[in-house]
Amino acid sequence: MTMLDDRQTAAPWPAAYPKGYAVVDVETTGLARDDRIISAAVYRLDAQGDVEDHWYTLVNPERDPGPVWIHGLTSDVLEGAPLFPEVAEELSRRLAGRVLVAHNAAFDWSMIAREYARAAVTAPVEQRLCTIALSKELRLPLPNHKLESLAAHFGVVQQRAHHALDDARVLAEAFRPSLHAAARGGVRLPLLECRPLTEWYDSPVTPRAGYRPSQTQSWRPSRKRPACPYPNPGRYESDKPLMQGMRVAFSGDTSVDRELLEDRAVEAGLHVATSVSRLTSLLVTNDPDSVTSKTVKAKSFGTPILEESAFTHLLRDVAPATSVVVPKPSPSSE
């Protein structure tokens, strides 16, 4: 397709738009919560999407590199690379004061937030923008939501797919005309708040076939949570305390690592639900305007929605249940 002429805008530049962007791409050992970043690239852009500079680094994950056939980074290549805490300061300098832009930004942000949490450092990111979401806002005629399709739409040539530096370059070049198209059309940018993780615990990783298992991590054993011993007292009511037995569901990013937050809820006597139903007492999310299945269902059912900060405050004083559910004896028991 012919690249759009993004150098002309029909109206003054929107004053509400951000003053700068950090286009980011990370390659990782995998997609799970305990996978690690093995390379990162940042293109810094000014308010109108022009490139200011770029930066790239390898990162030693201290474990197997994952799908080498995708990213091409072997253990030998990564062995002498810096650890994430050694690059965190420079990465922070490039992210600070800017909106993080990525293709499927929820993933890149979650990986970055987890690395910062492991390093006991706060990530200097307040907002993110997903170019998939932006392409939907612009109603671009793309066959799918892959980066290569977005690049082809704007005539950007990709040279090394799944290499963080080239992926970030491609995205930066595709983001600029997208940004200008949004400005011309008066489109509100799909910005989302980023809440850094404030606590982190590693959990078990199941070894994958052909991978060399790490000998350096200390993993927390996985376990199935016991059934909640209290009956469901119903929905949460505003200005009243939580009550033991309430069914709580979570959606989206959380400041405290999700698993740890769920543990705290269980310890307080709440039932952690993996989905939203008419029996759900409340949904905890920092992005109530998102269109995830949980938020959509919660609104359709009239389920109360709380932000994480309000929920954690209420966790300090959960009202005791009025009764306990006694498990029925099995037919063989006496």
Side-chain angles (χ1 to χ4, degrees), residues 26-29 38-39 56 58-59 64-79 160-164 167 211:
V26 297
E27 295 300 319
T28 67
T29 60
I38 54 176
S39 66
Y56 171 76
L58 295 175
V59 181
D64 65 82
V68 175
W69 58 91
I70 294 178
H71 51 63
L73 299 175
T74 64
S75 296
D76 291 340
V77 170
L78 297 171
E79 184 177 1
R160 297 181 63 185
H162 300 297
H163 185 283
D167 281 352
Y211 287 5

Side-chain angles (χ1 to χ4, degrees), residues 13 18-24 42-55 94-102 129 131 168-180:
W13 195 258
K19 304 303 179 185
Y21 304 88
V23 177
V24 173
V42 181
Y43 267 74
R44 290 197 291 189
L45 312 181
D46 64 16
Q48 296 195 5
D50 291 316
V51 175
E52 296 178 335
D53 58 29
H54 65 267
W55 172 80
R94 294 178 177 277
L95 297 178
R98 297 170 184 266
V99 170
L100 183 150
V101 177
L129 187 157
T131 46
R169 174 194 62 80
V170 168
L171 188 58
E173 292 184 16
F175 175 64
R176 187 182 190 281
S178 298
L179 180 64
H180 281 250

Side-chain angles (χ1 to χ4, degrees), residues 15-171:
Y17 276 22
K19 304 303 179 185
Y21 304 88
V23 177
V24 173
D25 186 76
V26 297
E27 295 300 319
T28 67
T29 60
L31 307 178
R33 71 180 291 278
D34 287 297
D35 277 298
R36 306 297 301 271
I37 290 175
I38 54 176
S39 66
V42 181
Y43 267 74
R44 290 197 291 189
L45 312 181
D46 64 16
Q48 296 195 5
D50 291 316
V51 175
E52 296 178 335
D53 58 29
H54 65 267
W55 172 80
Y56 171 76
T57 185
L58 295 175
V59 181
N60 185 344
E62 298 185 283
R63 57 169 292 175
D64 65 82
V68 175
W69 58 91
I70 294 178
H71 51 63
L73 299 175
T74 64
S75 296
D76 291 340
V77 170
L78 297 171
E79 184 177 1
L83 304 178
F84 185 84
E86 297 172 327
V87 303
E89 182 177 354
E90 180 63 24
L91 180 58
S92 293
R93 190 172 72 84
R94 294 178 177 277
L95 297 178
R98 297 170 184 266
V99 170
L100 183 150
V101 177
H103 202 65
N104 188 11
F107 172 75
D108 292 80
W109 163 242
S110 66
M111 295 301 300
I112 290 171
R114 290 166 186 166
E115 290 288 4
Y116 271 100
R118 289 185 185 97
V121 179
T122 301
V125 181
E126 296 182 358
Q127 290 181 308
R128 68 177 185 268
L129 187 157
C130 180
T131 46
I132 294 177
L134 181 57
S135 67
K136 292 179 179 178
E137 291 287 338
L138 296 174
R139 299 183 179 180
L140 299 182
L142 305 179
N144 53 54
H145 299 302
K146 295 181 179 180
L147 176 58
E148 62 187 40
S149 297
L150 182 65
H153 179 78
F154 289 115
V156 179
V157 178
Q158 192 165 26
Q159 298 171 349
R160 297 181 63 185
H162 300 297
H163 185 283
L165 183 60
D166 195 59
D167 281 352
R169 174 194 62 80
V170 168
L171 188 58

Side-chain angles (χ1 to χ4, degrees), residues 35 66 69 71 80 85 110 144 155 172 200-201 204 225 308 315 317 328:
D35 277 298
W69 58 91
H71 51 63
S110 66
N144 53 54
W200 178 264
Y201 289 112
R225 294 191 179 93
E308 178 191 358
L315 272 182
D317 189 20
K328 295 181 179 180

